[in-house]
């Protein structure tokens, strides 16, 4: 039957597309490492690198709102984006970028104002990319769209290979490249526009209907950032080497996420948007029941309470780092399942509960960081084991896609 064969063709090609996406993401991860090596080799660990990193912190801080924007965009994949909602999102992005750039530059002449302006614009462009990308992942050809996501490190590394006359000129070029990369990405996504895409979408929602999920996603992101502030400040005050070991392990888990998990999510967006439950139980953690989750959580707690002997640097086997390793799978599975759910439906009640979980975690970590007798590894246990375990249990009770839709008033 030809129709059935034609319908099955995309499914048959999906594994090879995912493998190609993993290769592209792996290449981007290697180039990201090369980018950091080039900057370190040129500037070292001196004052000029500090100025550069402070400017790039503006871009990083603004870009932290990318996840809530992406989730909100996934909620609205089947709808058009009206002028009112588009203007509101665009205005909010511009306001956030300007505010953060001003806060970083307040009372300090360490970083040139032009750098702060460029870094703020780069963060705003990253947020715009996060808002637009899910629609292209649904409508556009998968591999060309995914290739756009790995462009930044390619462009930045190529730009850094050009000789610079002085360290300050090199730093200025880095800031400019961080702005150029998302602008090129946005242009590339525009060129991948699919004819008839808009006609296939439902009418745009009212702003009052579309904004609540966005605001709750943002509230959850605020909780996440508060959690990181408490966690990293506490690790910095711990014995020497604790924070460094933790960050090194975290970078490894972030590389795994970027190469395998985010590529997997990108390869499934179109199916999820059509209401299909096509994610692998291994990737989204659905095979984990209450007992396995409880055992992992309890095991992490035992590691967190472990106090190693000796007064030397904790190294990569510190309790904090080991807790992070144990919780890595839970974090990645939660990311896959939650993005899958937000793509298939607009589950506002669940979004509220997940935002509440983030805020509760932030309050708990903040409280534990203020109590001297709490083992330091209890903080990453709360963030990377207890929180994702609780999140997976919340998502396990999620009803079918139709029941999860927010009623349209």
């Amino acid at each position: 039957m030809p129709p059935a064969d034609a319908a099955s063709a995309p499914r048959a090609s999906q594994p090879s597309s995912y493998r190609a996406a993993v290769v592209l993401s792996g290449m981007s991860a290697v180039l990201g490492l090369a980018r950091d090596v080039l900057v370190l080799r040129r500037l070292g660990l001196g004052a000029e690198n500090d100025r550069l990193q402070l400017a790039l912190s503006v871009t990083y801080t603004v870009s932290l709102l990318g996840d809530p924007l992406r989730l909100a965009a996934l909620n609205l994949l089947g709808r058009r984006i009206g002028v009112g909602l588009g203007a509101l999102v665009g205005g909010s992005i511009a306001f956030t970028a300007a505010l953060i750039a001003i806060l970083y530059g307040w009372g300090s002449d360490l970083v040139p104002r032009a750098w702060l302006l460029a870094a703020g614009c780069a963060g705003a462009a990253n947020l715009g990319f996060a808002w637009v990308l899910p629609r292209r992942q649904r409508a556009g050809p998968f591999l060309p769209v995914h290739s756009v996501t790995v462009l930044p490190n390619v462009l930045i590394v190529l730009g850094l290979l050009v000789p610079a006359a002085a360290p300050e000129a090199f730093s200025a070029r880095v800031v400019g490249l961080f702005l150029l990369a998302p602008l090129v990405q946005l242009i590339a996504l525009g060129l991948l526009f699919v004819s008839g895409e808009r006609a296939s979408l439902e009418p745009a929602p009212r702003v009052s209907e579309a904004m609540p999920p966005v605001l709750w996603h943002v509230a959850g992101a605020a909780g996440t950032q508060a959690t990181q502030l408490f966690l990293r400040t506490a690790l910095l005050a711990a014995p020497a080497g604790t924070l460094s070991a933790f960050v090194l392990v975290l970078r490894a888990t972030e590389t795994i996420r970027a190469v395998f998990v985010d590529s997997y999510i990108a390869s499934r967006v179109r199916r999820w948007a059509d209401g299909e439950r096509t994610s692998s139980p291994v990737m989204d953690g659905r095979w984990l029941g209450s007992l396995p989750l409880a055992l992992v959580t309890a095991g992490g707690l035992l590691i967190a309470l472990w106090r190693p002997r000796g007064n030397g640097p904790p190294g990569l086997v510190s309790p904090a780092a080991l807790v992070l390793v144990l919780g890595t799978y839970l974090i990645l599975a939660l990311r896959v399942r939650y993005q899958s759910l937000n793509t298939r439906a607009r589950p506002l009640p669940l979004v509220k509960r997940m935002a509440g979980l983030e805020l509760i975690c932030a309050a708990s970590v903040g409280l534990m960081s203020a109590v001297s007798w709490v083992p330091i590894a209890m903080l990453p246990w709360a963030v990377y084991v207890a929180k994702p375990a609780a999140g997976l249990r919340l998502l396990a009770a999620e009803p079918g896609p139709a029941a999860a839709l927010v009623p349209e008033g």
Side-chain angles (χ1 to χ4, degrees):
M1 298 174 62
D5 293 339
S8 63
R11 294 181 180 274
S13 63
Q14 196 66 37
S16 60
S17 297
Y18 172 60
R19 285 193 290 269
V22 167
V23 171
L24 288 172
S25 297
M27 178 193 69
S28 178
V30 171
L31 290 175
L33 177 62
R35 176 200 67 195
D36 294 338
V37 170
L38 288 171
V39 171
L40 185 62
R41 181 179 178 183
R42 185 68 172 87
L43 301 179
L45 294 175
E48 186 60 35
N49 202 347
D50 287 344
R51 291 206 312 157
L52 172 62
Q53 296 307 322
L54 185 59
L56 295 181
S57 293
V58 176
T59 302
Y60 174 77
T61 305
V62 175
S63 301
L64 290 175
L65 290 177
D67 263 351
L69 270 181
R70 186 179 298 108
L71 288 169
L74 290 173
N75 294 157
L76 298 169
L77 272 187
R79 310 289 292 274
R80 301 178 188 178
I81 301 299
V83 175
L85 179 59
L88 184 58
V89 171
S92 300
I93 289 174
F95 173 78
T96 300
L99 177 63
I100 291 176
I102 290 172
L103 290 175
Y104 268 91
W106 189 272
S108 173
D109 296 327
L110 183 63
V111 179
R113 295 292 183 264
W115 291 15
L116 292 174
L117 176 62
C121 291
N126 284 333
L127 293 185
F129 181 74
W131 176 251
V132 174
L133 178 62
R135 290 181 177 270
R136 289 294 170 268
Q137 288 176 329
R138 181 193 181 189
F142 168 62
L143 279 179
V145 171
H146 189 72
S147 299
V148 173
T149 67
V150 305
L151 277 178
N153 284 333
V154 177
L155 294 175
I156 292 172
V157 168
L158 289 176
L160 295 183
L161 290 175
V162 179
E168 184 171 352
F170 180 85
S171 298
R173 182 190 302 165
V174 174
V175 175
L177 288 170
F178 269 76
L179 171 58
L180 176 64
L183 294 178
V184 171
Q185 285 181 300
L186 288 169
I187 293 172
L189 287 186
L191 295 176
L192 292 173
F193 176 78
V194 177
S195 179
E197 174 187 344
R198 181 176 174 82
S200 66
L201 300 176
E202 298 177 16
R206 296 191 303 271
V207 172
S208 59
E209 176 191 350
M211 282 309 293
V214 178
L215 295 177
W216 280 105
H217 285 309
V218 170
T224 302
Q225 295 316 306
T227 298
Q228 288 297 316
L229 174 64
F230 293 134
L231 172 63
R232 293 177 184 235
T233 302
L235 291 175
L236 182 62
T242 302
L243 179 59
S244 297
F246 180 83
V247 170
L248 286 173
V249 177
L250 182 60
R251 284 178 180 170
T253 64
E254 287 293 305
T255 300
I256 294 173
R257 176 190 63 78
V259 174
F260 296 103
V261 175
D262 286 356
S263 298
Y264 180 83
I265 291 171
S267 70
R268 297 303 194 273
V269 165
R270 186 177 302 180
R271 294 182 179 185
W272 291 344
D274 293 334
E276 295 185 27
R277 292 176 176 269
T278 56
S279 57
S280 164
V282 174
M283 291 294 290
D284 66 12
R286 276 182 289 131
W287 65 276
L288 286 173
S290 300
L291 181 58
L293 276 177
L295 291 175
V296 172
T297 307
L301 183 59
L302 291 176
I303 294 175
L305 295 173
W306 170 51
R307 294 182 180 274
R309 297 180 179 179
N311 298 319
L316 294 178
V317 293
S318 69
L322 290 177
V323 166
L324 174 58
V325 171
L326 183 66
T328 294
Y329 175 73
L330 301 182
I331 289 284
L332 300 183
L334 179 63
R335 183 177 182 86
V336 173
R337 197 188 303 186
Y338 193 44
Q339 294 212 19
S340 167
L341 174 63
N342 277 273
T343 306
R344 296 196 310 266
R346 298 192 303 280
L348 184 56
L350 183 57
V351 172
K352 291 181 179 179
R353 291 194 291 272
M354 294 297 287
L357 179 62
E358 294 288 356
L359 295 172
I360 291 171
C361 181
S364 301
V365 172
L367 180 61
M368 287 191 292
S369 68
V371 180
S372 59
W373 52 263
V374 173
I376 192 66
M378 284 288 293
L379 278 66
W381 172 81
V383 179
Y384 295 100
V385 177
K387 184 181 72 174
L392 287 171
R393 290 307 301 157
L394 284 176
L395 299 187
E398 178 265 326
L405 287 172
V406 175
E408 298 178 12

